[in-house]
CSV table of all heavy atoms in Angstrom, one decimal:
chain,number,residue,atom,x,y,z
A,271,PHE,N,-2.2,5.0,24.8
A,271,PHE,CA,-0.7,4.8,25.0
A,271,PHE,C,-0.1,6.1,25.5
A,271,PHE,O,0.7,6.0,26.5
A,271,PHE,CB,-0.1,4.4,23.7
A,271,PHE,CG,1.4,4.3,23.7
A,271,PHE,CD1,2.0,3.4,24.6
A,271,PHE,CD2,2.2,5.2,23.0
A,271,PHE,CE1,3.4,3.3,24.6
A,271,PHE,CE2,3.6,5.1,23.0
A,271,PHE,CZ,4.2,4.2,23.9
A,272,ILE,N,-0.4,7.2,25.0
A,272,ILE,CA,0.1,8.5,25.5
A,272,ILE,C,-0.4,8.7,26.9
A,272,ILE,O,0.4,9.2,27.8
A,272,ILE,CB,-0.3,9.7,24.6
A,272,ILE,CG1,0.2,9.5,23.2
A,272,ILE,CG2,0.1,11.0,25.2
A,272,ILE,CD1,1.7,9.4,23.1
A,273,GLU,N,-1.6,8.4,27.2
A,273,GLU,CA,-2.1,8.5,28.6
A,273,GLU,C,-1.3,7.7,29.6
A,273,GLU,O,-1.0,8.1,30.7
A,273,GLU,CB,-3.6,8.1,28.6
A,273,GLU,CG,-4.2,8.3,30.0
A,273,GLU,CD,-5.7,7.8,30.1
A,273,GLU,OE1,-5.9,6.7,29.5
A,273,GLU,OE2,-6.5,8.5,30.6
A,274,SER,N,-1.0,6.4,29.2
A,274,SER,CA,-0.2,5.6,30.0
A,274,SER,C,1.2,6.2,30.3
A,274,SER,O,1.7,6.1,31.5
A,274,SER,CB,0.1,4.2,29.3
A,274,SER,OG,-1.2,3.5,29.2
A,275,LEU,N,1.8,6.8,29.4
A,275,LEU,CA,3.1,7.5,29.6
A,275,LEU,C,2.9,8.7,30.5
A,275,LEU,O,3.7,8.9,31.4
A,275,LEU,CB,3.7,7.9,28.2
A,275,LEU,CG,4.1,6.8,27.3
A,275,LEU,CD1,4.5,7.3,25.9
A,275,LEU,CD2,5.3,6.0,27.9
A,276,LEU,N,1.9,9.5,30.3
A,276,LEU,CA,1.6,10.7,31.1
A,276,LEU,C,1.4,10.3,32.6
A,276,LEU,O,1.9,11.0,33.5
A,276,LEU,CB,0.4,11.4,30.6
A,276,LEU,CG,0.6,12.2,29.3
A,276,LEU,CD1,-0.8,12.7,28.8
A,276,LEU,CD2,1.5,13.4,29.5
A,277,LEU,N,0.8,9.1,32.8
A,277,LEU,CA,0.5,8.7,34.2
A,277,LEU,C,1.6,7.8,34.7
A,277,LEU,O,1.4,7.2,35.8
A,277,LEU,CB,-0.9,8.0,34.2
A,277,LEU,CG,-2.1,8.9,33.8
A,277,LEU,CD1,-3.3,8.0,33.8
A,277,LEU,CD2,-2.2,10.0,34.8
A,278,LYS,N,2.7,7.6,34.0
A,278,LYS,CA,3.8,6.7,34.4
A,278,LYS,C,3.4,5.3,34.6
A,278,LYS,O,3.9,4.6,35.5
A,278,LYS,CB,4.5,7.3,35.6
A,278,LYS,CG,5.1,8.7,35.4
A,278,LYS,CD,5.8,9.3,36.6
A,278,LYS,CE,6.4,10.6,36.3
A,278,LYS,NZ,7.1,11.2,37.5
A,279,LEU,N,2.4,4.8,33.8
A,279,LEU,CA,2.0,3.4,33.9
A,279,LEU,C,3.0,2.6,33.2
A,279,LEU,O,3.6,3.0,32.2
A,279,LEU,CB,0.6,3.2,33.4
A,279,LEU,CG,-0.5,4.0,34.1
A,279,LEU,CD1,-1.8,3.8,33.3
A,279,LEU,CD2,-0.6,3.5,35.5
A,280,PRO,N,3.3,1.3,33.6
A,280,PRO,CA,4.3,0.5,32.9
A,280,PRO,C,3.8,0.1,31.5
A,280,PRO,O,2.6,-0.1,31.2
A,280,PRO,CB,4.3,-0.8,33.8
A,280,PRO,CG,3.0,-0.8,34.5
A,280,PRO,CD,2.6,0.6,34.7
A,281,ILE,N,4.8,0.1,30.6
A,281,ILE,CA,4.5,-0.3,29.2
A,281,ILE,C,5.5,-1.4,28.8
A,281,ILE,O,6.6,-1.4,29.4
A,281,ILE,CB,4.6,0.9,28.2
A,281,ILE,CG1,6.0,1.5,28.2
A,281,ILE,CG2,3.6,2.0,28.6
A,281,ILE,CD1,6.3,2.5,27.2
A,282,PRO,N,5.2,-2.2,27.8
A,282,PRO,CA,6.2,-3.2,27.4
A,282,PRO,C,7.5,-2.7,26.9
A,282,PRO,O,7.5,-1.6,26.4
A,282,PRO,CB,5.4,-4.0,26.3
A,282,PRO,CG,4.0,-3.6,26.5
A,282,PRO,CD,4.0,-2.2,27.1
A,283,TYR,N,8.5,-3.5,26.9
A,283,TYR,CA,9.8,-3.1,26.3
A,283,TYR,C,9.7,-3.0,24.8
A,283,TYR,O,8.9,-3.7,24.2
A,283,TYR,CB,10.9,-4.2,26.6
A,283,TYR,CG,11.5,-4.1,28.0
A,283,TYR,CD1,10.8,-3.8,29.2
A,283,TYR,CD2,12.9,-4.4,28.2
A,283,TYR,CE1,11.3,-3.8,30.4
A,283,TYR,CE2,13.4,-4.3,29.4
A,283,TYR,CZ,12.7,-4.1,30.5
A,283,TYR,OH,13.3,-4.0,31.8
A,284,LEU,N,10.4,-2.1,24.2
A,284,LEU,CA,10.6,-2.2,22.8
A,284,LEU,C,11.7,-3.2,22.4
A,284,LEU,O,12.6,-3.4,23.2
A,284,LEU,CB,11.1,-0.8,22.3
A,284,LEU,CG,10.2,0.4,22.6
A,284,LEU,CD1,10.9,1.7,22.2
A,284,LEU,CD2,8.8,0.3,21.9
A,285,PHE,N,11.5,-3.9,21.3
A,285,PHE,CA,12.6,-4.8,20.8
A,285,PHE,C,13.2,-4.2,19.5
A,285,PHE,O,12.4,-3.9,18.6
A,285,PHE,CB,12.0,-6.2,20.6
A,285,PHE,CG,11.9,-7.1,21.8
A,285,PHE,CD1,10.9,-6.9,22.7
A,285,PHE,CD2,12.9,-8.1,21.9
A,285,PHE,CE1,10.9,-7.7,23.8
A,285,PHE,CE2,12.8,-8.9,23.1
A,285,PHE,CZ,11.8,-8.7,24.0
A,286,VAL,N,14.5,-4.0,19.5
A,286,VAL,CA,15.1,-3.5,18.3
A,286,VAL,C,16.4,-4.4,18.1
A,286,VAL,O,16.8,-5.2,18.9
A,286,VAL,CB,15.5,-2.0,18.5
A,286,VAL,CG1,14.3,-1.2,18.7
A,286,VAL,CG2,16.6,-1.9,19.6
A,287,ALA,N,17.0,-4.2,16.9
A,287,ALA,CA,18.2,-5.0,16.6
A,287,ALA,C,19.2,-4.2,15.8
A,287,ALA,O,18.8,-3.4,14.9
A,287,ALA,CB,17.8,-6.2,15.7
A,288,ASP,N,20.4,-4.4,16.1
A,288,ASP,CA,21.6,-3.8,15.4
A,288,ASP,C,21.8,-4.6,14.2
A,288,ASP,O,22.1,-5.8,14.2
A,288,ASP,CB,22.8,-3.8,16.3
A,288,ASP,CG,24.0,-3.2,15.7
A,288,ASP,OD1,24.0,-2.9,14.5
A,288,ASP,OD2,25.0,-2.9,16.4
A,289,VAL,N,21.5,-4.0,13.0
A,289,VAL,CA,21.7,-4.7,11.7
A,289,VAL,C,23.1,-4.8,11.3
A,289,VAL,O,23.9,-3.8,11.4
A,289,VAL,CB,20.9,-3.9,10.6
A,289,VAL,CG1,21.0,-4.7,9.3
A,289,VAL,CG2,19.4,-3.8,11.0
A,290,ASN,N,23.5,-6.0,10.9
A,290,ASN,CA,25.0,-6.2,10.6
A,290,ASN,C,25.2,-6.5,9.2
A,290,ASN,O,26.4,-6.8,8.8
A,290,ASN,CB,25.5,-7.3,11.5
A,290,ASN,CG,25.0,-8.7,11.1
A,290,ASN,OD1,24.0,-8.8,10.4
A,290,ASN,ND2,25.7,-9.8,11.5
A,291,GLU,N,24.2,-6.4,8.3
A,291,GLU,CA,24.4,-6.8,6.9
A,291,GLU,C,23.7,-5.8,6.0
A,291,GLU,O,22.8,-5.1,6.3
A,291,GLU,CB,23.9,-8.2,6.6
A,291,GLU,CG,22.4,-8.4,6.6
A,291,GLU,CD,21.8,-8.6,7.9
A,291,GLU,OE1,22.4,-8.9,8.9
A,291,GLU,OE2,20.5,-8.4,8.0
A,292,GLY,N,24.3,-5.8,4.8
A,292,GLY,CA,23.6,-5.0,3.7
A,292,GLY,C,23.7,-3.5,3.9
A,292,GLY,O,24.5,-3.0,4.7
A,293,GLU,N,22.9,-2.8,3.1
A,293,GLU,CA,22.9,-1.3,3.2
A,293,GLU,C,22.4,-0.7,4.5
A,293,GLU,O,22.6,0.5,4.7
A,293,GLU,CB,22.1,-0.7,2.0
A,293,GLU,CG,20.6,-1.0,2.0
A,293,GLU,CD,20.3,-2.3,1.3
A,293,GLU,OE1,21.2,-3.2,1.1
A,293,GLU,OE2,19.1,-2.5,0.9
Side-chain angles (χ1 to χ4, degrees):
F271 175 62
I272 298 300
E273 182 184 47
S274 296
L275 292 170
L276 288 168
L277 297 177
K278 298 183 179 179
L279 298 174
I281 62 171
Y283 281 39
L284 302 171
F285 275 76
V286 300
D288 181 345
V289 179
N290 71 340
E291 74 277 344
E293 62 271 21

